[in-house]
Amino acid sequence: MKKLTLLFLLFSATYLLKANTQDSIIHSQNDSILFTNNCKVNFKNYSMGISSQLTGTYKLNTSSGPLLVIDGIPYPDRTASNLNYTTIDFNDIAHLALIPLESIESVELLDYNTTTQLYGPEAKNGVLSITTKKHSSKKLQVNYSFRTTFSKQPQSYKMLNGDEYSMMMKQALYNAFPEISLTDFPFFSYDNSWSEYENFNNNTDWQDAITQNGNNIEHYLSLSGQKNRLGYQLYANYNKGKGTMICTSDKDYSVHLNLSYQLPKILSAKFHINYCNTTNNSYNTHNDLDLFEGALKAMPNMSIYESNTDGTLTPNYYLPPLDIYDSNYQNPIYYANETSQKEENETLNPTFTLEVTPIKRLKYKLITSITDYEYNYNNSDIPATYTSTRKHTHNKYKKNTLYIINAINYFLIQNSSNQLMLSTNYSIYNWNSEENSQTPTNYITINNSSKDKQKRQKICGGITYSALDRYFISLGINYEDNHFNHEKNHFEINESRNSGHSYVINAKWIISNEAFFNPLSFINHLSISASGNYHDIPVSYKNSETQNKIALNGQLQFFERFSFNINYYKREIKDQLTDQLTNSLPPSSGYSTPNYIKQDLLNNGWEFYTNIALVNKINFKLNFFADLYKNTYQLTDTNDDLEKSDICWNGCYSKHISLNEEYGKIYGVTYNGVYQYNEYINGVQENAQIARDADGNIMYDNDNNPLILTYLSDGVYYQFQGGDAIYEDVDYNGRIDKNDIKKIGNAQPKISGTTGTSMEYKNWYLGIFFNFRYGNDIVNLARMNLESMYSYSNQTTAVNNRWRQDGDKTDIPRALFSSGHNWLGSTRFVENGSFFRLKTITLRHQLSNNITSKLHLSSLSLYLTAKNLFAITNYQGADPDISLNTAWDNYGYDNNYKAAIKQWILGIDICL
């Protein structure tokens, strides 16, 4: 079927190239009232974040992403909730939508309103609507674009070399077990009589060895025009490249054909057919450990390649004889080269749209869309060293959808002063999915299968009224019926049928169009708007979710140069269902029994947006924009355990929350440095592990000896020594335990935002885009693990400043192998997460008409874009721009080991 489709596309293109254009095409207009937020793709600013042109993107950075709609057709599977929608650009949106960037005409951000409610519960968090380009020229137009992207993975942490690591490990072992002999650990001793000496006397930079320079090349070709009343467009896109990690590559290509036919004022018909194929090759992960993290933790004194006893390197990867890695990668390079992970996605999507205007003021619209999606995942695991047998996992997922919309709009009143439109639509949305997997274990291969079906019928009604070009109101109501069916392994069947409803109201007042505003002619636009919606809609066969939302908006523009926009919203969510288990495979396999959590949330947010034309001359333009926003969450009710952990352990933070409390509170003990001495001597060695009361006086035991401060938690008893971490004894009882835990930080930013400027001078364009966050704390779990000195894992160079002997003055505790309590969840690893980042900068030049005419071209332009060049921050982690779209118990925790990838994009656009 798909091969026949491609042949049809090629045949259609061959025929259409023979066409001569005569009549113009008349396009239907958007019937919705002025609640839209639209921006068009301009290749001068394609790399600028969409928040530089769209307001309200801050509302998308919540626990669920918006619904993606392309030319009126919703695509729930192409929505990603982990994206930062305030910083993504048009190129990111194109990748998300699986369409070429050059085919995008405009992007709209729509709230839940009478237009978007027909898309169902997936639209409850807004709609990101993409409109593809239409046929605007009577003659054949040919466009070609080329882009090449160079990528580099920056160093995230500076790690110990082999010599520094070996010394640290010897000290860690000796400090923990003074009675042991270091000869039992020859891989740290540099003993040249040991047979493996040549393989353990190195200074290997695993971080450098596991990365490579990434490169990506993209070609885009389009043919468009029209013949009589028939418009046509054919797009083809091809993309191939390699990632910044070794053994990673990707390839995708797509073909898109758009046909349209229109009889003026009567009938308009459109046919779209899209085909997309993507392939991603990578390595498999071991025990869910990211390979880059494994490279950071790998022993730096070990060799990548095996050495002979005389020191000669062989072409064979070295595998150590002993498993001393705590289930980490013994040799990450070997693992990456010997394993494979391949993901293939194939999508075929034909769509037919018919618009009929049988009588004046009445319009009927039919949309029919079919999507055939197939996903294949294969991986292999290496034998022996990491597992007892080689594993081959296969996962296959298929999904077919049918979407039919019947819509009628009728203008009951339509004149220069008033418009009253009645609308109704009936839609059908059916989808079927099937997933099969084979997962081998050490003994048998487990086969799993699941099937899901959904049938949704929906009817919507709406009224839209506008008066005197200043008053607008829209009311809508929706009812839908859902039938869900879930089958697992051919016998576990879950079936449910439920229904729901929603309503929405939007109102807008353009104050500047009032007669009393005429004297204030310098004010070009002043308006206020409000919206409210409620929905109680089944979101799956497991659950119905209720949502209440109100939003307020104010817009002001004066002197045609200064624009301001203020947004506020409040959203109440009830019975939200979350899955505590995560799965790296898209889509979720669901082979484990997940722990489903129900919760009620209160989500508040505000935004202040401004766009100022500092200079607006013919040959020189200078614009500035800023977008400031804040989102907060409160848990108002849940069946979850609000005391996830009230512990005082190594590597763990206490996690608990109260109802109606904002996300972001961080709890732990207070870290006050390192004990300088192992024995207290009054007036000489004061900084020792002696318990003190609230006034700083020494506490004594029953024998009148200074009381040694101890650690006691869940039956574990330990007396602190010189070189150990100093923790605040909050209750002054001479013990460090869970009673000493208190609030030590807040992960909720005081403000976040984006800002930037664009400058045009004749045929030159410069665009600069920043994003920032201020006033938030981050729990740096990655640094916590890389400075623990607790296992065989390599550590950062910060531990070179560790306590080594009595009297050392430092903030880094001594090394202790698998003992001690020097890395409790404390203020030591809570850092200021504020940052200001240059996200993108683009320089573009369009050649003059004199040059392009000599080359027989309509236009020719070149551009260079750089991404993530630098960030101003005091955060010591890999990347301060962490995701805050998480559950309360992960909010503000950073377990990322990779820095943001730097990219340089060189492009050329040619129009014949």
Side-chain angles (χ1 to χ4, degrees):
M1 172 65 181
K2 294 171 183 175
K3 291 182 178 179
L4 291 175
T5 301
L6 291 176
L7 290 174
F8 170 73
L9 291 175
L10 294 174
F11 171 79
S12 302
T14 304
Y15 170 77
L16 292 170
L17 284 174
K18 301 177 182 179
N20 294 318
T21 60
Q22 295 178 8
D23 299 335
S24 62
I25 299 296
I26 300 176
H27 299 289
S28 60
Q29 301 297 315
N30 192 341
D31 293 322
S32 62
I33 60 177
L34 301 177
F35 300 113
T36 62
N37 184 7
N38 179 288
C39 64
K40 291 192 174 184
V41 178
N42 188 322
F43 274 90
K44 292 185 296 186
N45 61 356
Y46 86 99
S47 63
M48 297 278 277
I50 62 172
S51 64
S52 66
Q53 301 155 78
L54 287 176
T55 61
T57 55
Y58 74 106
K59 289 185 288 187
L60 306 182
N61 293 316
T62 55
S63 58
S64 335
L67 174 68
L68 187 68
V69 174
I70 307 173
D71 291 328
I73 303 300
Y75 295 92
D77 291 334
R78 301 185 198 177
T79 297
S81 60
N82 59 342
L83 284 177
N84 185 344
Y85 285 91
T86 58
T87 59
I88 63 171
D89 54 38
F90 286 104
N91 198 46
D92 298 322
I93 294 174
H95 283 295
L96 180 65
L98 301 178
I99 60 176
L101 167 66
E102 289 82 353
S103 67
I104 298 177
E105 172 68 24
S106 64
V107 174
E108 287 181 303
L109 181 56
L110 307 174
D111 257 336
Y112 194 73
N113 56 40
T114 53
T115 303
T116 61
Q117 68 173 351
L118 66 93
Y119 298 126
E122 291 85 2
K124 66 182 182 294
N125 293 313
V127 168
L128 197 63
S129 177
I130 297 175
T131 303
T132 57
K133 290 180 179 178
K134 303 302 185 292
H135 329 293
S136 58
S137 175
K138 295 183 180 181
K139 65 178 182 179
L140 173 66
Q141 281 191 339
V142 180
N143 289 79
Y144 170 75
S145 295
F146 169 82
R147 276 191 297 273
T148 181
T149 303
F150 301 93
S151 306
K152 182 168 181 63
Q153 177 67 65
Q155 187 181 68
S156 57
Y157 289 94
K158 190 174 181 180
M159 308 301 293
L160 298 177
N161 62 31
D163 299 330
E164 295 166 333
Y165 169 78
S166 298
M167 179 59 70
M168 180 205 68
M169 286 306 306
K170 285 187 285 188
Q171 290 179 354
L173 290 164
Y174 177 78
N175 289 337
F177 314 107
E179 70 282 356
I180 68 170
S181 172
L182 292 179
T183 58
D184 295 332
F185 300 90
F187 24 83
F188 305 133
S189 301
Y190 290 92
D191 181 4
N192 56 15
S193 65
W194 182 41
S195 61
E196 299 293 329
Y197 165 73
E198 293 295 342
N199 294 309
F200 280 91
N201 67 349
N202 298 271
N203 286 298
T204 301
D205 187 343
W206 292 100
Q207 189 173 186
D208 180 70
I210 203 70
T211 58
Q212 64 185 6
N213 291 327
N215 178 248
N216 190 80
I217 294 177
E218 185 174 0
H219 300 273
Y220 167 82
L221 178 67
S222 75
L223 308 172
S224 63
Q226 47 183 89
K227 178 183 179 182
N228 299 327
R229 303 183 187 279
L230 178 67
Y232 61 90
Q233 287 178 304
L234 178 68
Y235 303 108
N237 195 73
Y238 178 76
N239 180 38
K240 184 177 182 180
K242 62 178 183 178
T244 57
M245 298 287 288
I246 63 172
C247 306
T248 59
S249 63
D250 61 85
K251 179 177 67 174
D252 65 78
Y253 61 90
S254 59
V255 182
H256 309 263
L257 176 65
N258 298 340
L259 302 174
S260 67
Y261 182 83
Q262 183 155 351
L263 292 175
K265 301 181 181 180
I266 299 177
L267 180 144
S268 172
K270 302 173 186 177
F271 176 71
H272 306 254
I273 186 165
N274 306 317
Y275 174 78
C276 183
N277 185 295
T278 64
T279 302
N280 295 296
N281 295 292
S282 182
Y283 42 76
N284 189 20
T285 56
H286 176 60
N287 290 345
D288 295 324
L289 177 67
D290 179 79
L291 195 64
F292 189 82
E293 176 186 347
L296 290 179
K297 294 179 177 180
M299 295 174 68
N301 62 327
M302 191 180 77
S303 175
I304 297 176
Y305 296 96
E306 187 175 0
S307 296
N308 295 323
T309 54
D310 61 358
T312 305
L313 286 176
T314 72
N316 303 319
Y317 292 110
Y318 178 67
L319 295 177
L322 300 175
D323 185 6
I324 58 172
Y325 278 78
D326 305 327
S327 300
N328 293 349
Y329 299 97
Q330 284 102 331
N331 188 329
I333 311 302
Y334 168 65
Y335 194 94
N337 280 276
E338 290 296 316
T339 66
S340 66
Q341 177 175 291
K342 185 175 184 179
E343 297 177 79
E344 297 176 291
N345 293 271
E346 194 173 24
T347 304
L348 177 64
N349 172 227
T351 300
F352 176 74
T353 303
L354 178 67
E355 289 187 7
V356 181
T357 308
I359 60 174
K360 189 177 180 180
R361 299 183 181 180
L362 177 66
K363 178 183 290 185
Y364 167 75
K365 188 172 186 177
L366 168 68
I367 301 177
T368 303
S369 178
I370 301 172
T371 302
D372 181 15
Y373 171 76
E374 184 173 316
Y375 167 81
N376 286 282
Y377 171 84
N378 290 277
N379 72 21
S380 64
D381 219 355
I382 63 175
T385 308
Y386 299 92
T387 58
S388 58
T389 59
R390 180 179 290 275
K391 296 180 180 180
H392 295 278
T393 300
H394 176 69
N395 181 280
K396 188 172 185 177
Y397 177 83
K398 289 184 175 182
K399 184 173 182 178
N400 300 293
T401 65
L402 170 65
Y403 205 105
I404 301 175
I405 300 176
N406 293 273
I408 298 176
N409 293 339
Y410 178 68
F411 282 92
L412 192 63
I413 303 173
Q414 189 177 36
N415 54 52
S416 59
S417 300
N418 299 276
Q419 288 189 350
L420 177 62
M421 185 182 74
L422 307 179
S423 62
T424 183
N425 68 74
Y426 171 71
S427 63
I428 299 173
Y429 176 56
N430 294 339
W431 63 266
N432 299 277
S433 68
E434 180 178 353
E435 185 173 8
N436 296 281
S437 73
Q438 294 179 339
T439 307
T441 67
N442 292 338
Y443 306 101
I444 61 172
T445 297
I446 299 176
N447 294 300
N448 285 287
S449 66
S450 64
K451 294 182 179 180
D452 290 282
K453 295 181 180 180
Q454 180 184 2
K455 296 181 178 180
R456 177 194 297 166
Q457 298 183 75
K458 177 191 296 289
I459 184 168
C460 301
I463 301 175
T464 301
Y465 176 70
S466 63
L468 305 174
D469 198 27
R470 68 194 72 159
Y471 311 114
F472 303 89
I473 188 167
S474 175
L475 303 170
I477 189 169
N478 156 63
Y479 173 82
E480 68 175 67
D481 179 76
N482 285 270
H483 184 196
F484 298 97
N485 185 284
H486 174 73
E487 176 185 317
K488 183 176 180 181
N489 294 331
H490 305 291
F491 62 88
E492 299 177 30
I493 299 177
N494 292 289
E495 187 171 2
S496 67
R497 185 163 189 169
N498 46 31
S499 60
H501 68 281
S502 68
Y503 61 80
V504 59
I505 179 171
N506 296 273
K508 185 170 186 176
W509 178 27
I510 302 181
I511 307 171
S512 54
N513 285 350
E514 294 286 359
F516 64 79
F517 229 82
N518 291 339
L520 303 176
S521 58
F522 65 94
I523 297 181
N524 311 112
H525 180 89
L526 176 62
S527 67
I528 57 174
S529 61
S531 66
N533 69 72
Y534 168 86
H535 75 77
D536 182 9
I537 300 295
V539 293
S540 70
Y541 71 89
K542 310 179 191 72
N543 188 51
S544 291
E545 181 180 297
T546 301
Q547 178 171 295
N548 256 315
K549 180 180 175 183
I550 60 171
L552 304 173
N553 172 264
Q555 299 178 45
L556 171 64
Q557 183 186 58
F558 55 90
F559 291 125
E560 297 183 348
R561 295 173 60 182
F562 302 92
S563 298
F564 301 92
N565 194 303
I566 300 175
N567 291 293
Y568 169 80
Y569 80 97
K570 179 179 179 180
R571 180 171 60 159
E572 295 179 350
I573 305 171
K574 294 185 179 297
D575 296 328
Q576 185 184 67
L577 201 65
T578 62
D579 182 354
Q580 284 196 325
L581 295 183
T582 58
N583 194 317
S584 60
L585 304 182
S588 176
S589 299
Y591 298 131
S592 301
T593 303
N595 182 20
Y596 292 110
I597 300 298
K598 271 193 175 183
Q599 58 186 15
D600 296 349
L601 299 173
L602 177 62
N603 175 212
N604 291 325
W606 61 262
E607 175 191 38
F608 173 77
Y609 176 90
T610 180
N611 195 313
I612 302 174
L614 298 174
V615 181
N616 190 18
K617 298 183 179 297
I618 296 177
N619 289 328
F620 183 61
K621 301 180 187 298
L622 180 62
N623 287 281
F624 166 82
F625 88 94
D627 188 22
L628 312 178
Y629 62 90
K630 184 174 182 178
N631 272 311
T632 62
Y633 275 99
Q634 296 178 34
L635 196 64
T636 56
D637 194 17
T638 183
N639 64 351
D640 194 10
D641 181 9
L642 300 183
E643 299 289 338
K644 285 290 181 70
S645 59
D646 190 15
I647 56 177
C648 188
W649 293 349
N650 279 330
C652 299
Y653 280 81
S654 178
K655 295 182 180 181
H656 53 87
I657 194 172
S658 301
L659 294 181
N660 302 311
E661 178 185 351
E662 285 187 3
Y663 284 17
K665 303 296 189 299
I666 301 170
Y667 297 92
V669 294
T670 300
Y671 177 78
N672 290 324
V674 175
Y675 290 113
Q676 192 174 356
Y677 302 100
N678 192 48
E679 182 181 354
Y680 172 75
I681 300 178
N682 185 25
V684 179
Q685 295 182 179
E686 290 284 342
N687 188 5
Q689 64 280 17
I690 303 301
R692 297 177 183 269
D693 61 21
D695 297 323
N697 300 315
I698 296 174
M699 301 170 63
Y700 293 90
D701 60 18
N702 294 332
D703 296 327
N704 204 32
N705 295 318
L707 185 66
I708 303 296
L709 191 70
T710 60
Y711 169 89
L712 182 63
S713 180
D714 295 330
V716 177
Y717 176 83
Y718 175 82
Q719 281 193 333
F720 288 97
Q721 302 178 34
D724 284 344
I726 302 175
Y727 299 112
E728 181 183 359
D729 183 12
V730 174
D731 53 3
Y732 304 106
N733 63 354
R735 295 194 305 269
I736 300 300
D737 53 27
K738 64 182 181 180
N739 294 320
D740 298 309
I741 293 173
K742 63 180 183 179
K743 178 189 170 186
I744 58 175
N746 191 339
Q748 176 63 240
K750 293 180 180 178
I751 194 169
S752 303
T754 60
T755 186
T757 183
S758 63
M759 181 177 67
E760 296 182 53
Y761 177 69
K762 295 184 178 179
N763 292 335
W764 290 90
Y765 169 87
L766 177 66
I768 306 175
F769 180 71
F770 301 92
N771 71 304
F772 60 89
R773 192 177 288 160
Y774 171 74
N776 65 301
D777 296 315
I778 298 177
V779 178
N780 193 342
L781 295 178
R783 184 170 72 86
M784 189 181 202
N785 283 288
L786 296 178
E787 292 183 12
S788 63
M789 295 178 285
Y790 192 79
S791 66
Y792 289 112
S793 296
N794 194 15
Q795 306 287 280
T796 73
T797 55
V799 305
N800 281 333
N801 195 38
R802 65 186 176 275
W803 187 95
R804 299 173 191 248
Q805 61 184 2
D806 225 32
D808 283 352
K809 190 175 182 179
T810 178
D811 288 330
I812 305 296
R814 61 180 179 149
L816 274 173
F817 182 83
S818 196
S819 61
H821 303 278
N822 287 336
W823 53 303
L824 302 180
S826 70
T827 54
R828 178 184 171 190
F829 305 106
V830 177
E831 303 182 36
N832 185 347
S834 303
F835 71 91
F836 186 80
R837 166 170 286 161
L838 175 59
K839 190 65 179 178
T840 63
I841 179 170
T842 297
L843 178 65
R844 183 180 182 88
H845 177 62
Q846 183 166 336
L847 275 67
S848 65
N849 293 333
N850 293 335
I851 298 176
T852 54
S853 61
K854 293 178 181 179
L855 297 174
H856 303 288
L857 301 175
S858 297
S859 65
L860 174 62
S861 57
L862 306 169
Y863 61 89
L864 176 65
T865 295
K867 291 188 173 185
N868 299 319
L869 290 186
F870 70 86
I872 301 172
T873 182
N874 291 323
Y875 184 61
Q876 301 178 60
D879 186 358
D881 192 6
I882 66 171
S883 173
L884 296 178
N885 302 342
T886 61
W888 68 266
D889 54 337
N890 285 317
Y891 192 91
Y893 288 80
D894 179 21
N895 200 26
N896 170 48
Y897 290 81
K898 289 183 182 178
I901 295 175
K902 297 181 185 294
Q903 289 185 324
W904 295 265
I905 305 170
L906 178 63
I908 181 172
D909 294 324
I910 302 173
C911 182
L912 301 181

